[in-house]
Amino acid sequence: QVQLVESGGGLVQPGGSLRLSCAASGTRFIFKAMSWHRQAPGKERELVAGIIGDSITQYAESVKGRFSISRENAKNTAYLQMSSLKPEDTAVYYCRGVVGTSDFWGQGTQVTVSS
């Protein structure tokens, strides 16, 4: 059974940084693509950042220059480095992995940006 487990969320002050991790288990295959999404209260889930292969990345306009996505295939793990965090970045952050024609989601990790 494929599982994605996010970690690294928490409470941080505006301007601070956090690094989220997404570890995959239950599969021998490396995900073709991995991405981070977030959902704030009362809002729809949105794409934050994605990575295809090792180096093709895309970012939401709202996080460009502040967030960076990366992956470590040997560990089947993706990361989201978040800097210069703002209160509007507060949300539950979800990891998604695509392998073949299937996609998998983690349970999410809460990120709260507040003073």
Side-chain angles (χ1 to χ4, degrees):
Q1 181 179 0
V2 178
Q3 284 188 317
L4 295 177
V5 179
E6 303 97 337
S7 61
L11 173 65
V12 63
Q13 292 186 342
S17 299
L18 281 176
R19 187 193 195 208
L20 304 183
S21 299
C22 171
S25 63
T27 178
R28 297 174 298 146
F29 300 102
I30 302 300
F31 290 104
K32 174 183 178 181
M34 298 189 79
S35 55
W36 288 94
H37 304 250
R38 68 187 180 187
Q39 187 166 19
K43 295 187 177 181
E44 294 186 354
R45 190 174 298 188
E46 63 174 353
L47 173 68
V48 175
I51 183 167
I52 299 174
D54 290 331
S55 58
I56 301 173
T57 58
Q58 67 173 123
Y59 296 92
E61 284 295 326
S62 59
V63 306
K64 280 184 179 178
R66 300 188 298 121
F67 291 11
S68 177
I69 188 171
S70 61
R71 62 188 298 179
E72 192 172 357
N73 288 336
K75 296 182 178 180
N76 224 357
T77 298
Y79 306 96
L80 184 67
Q81 178 67 48
M82 306 186 294
S83 303
S84 302
L85 283 161
K86 305 175 181 180
E88 51 263 44
D89 294 317
T90 295
V92 178
Y93 283 70
Y94 298 90
C95 175
R96 175 179 180 249
V98 176
V99 58
T101 58
S102 301
D103 69 337
F104 302 90
W105 290 85
Q107 292 298 308
T109 184
Q110 176 71 45
V111 172
T112 302
V113 185
S114 175
S115 55

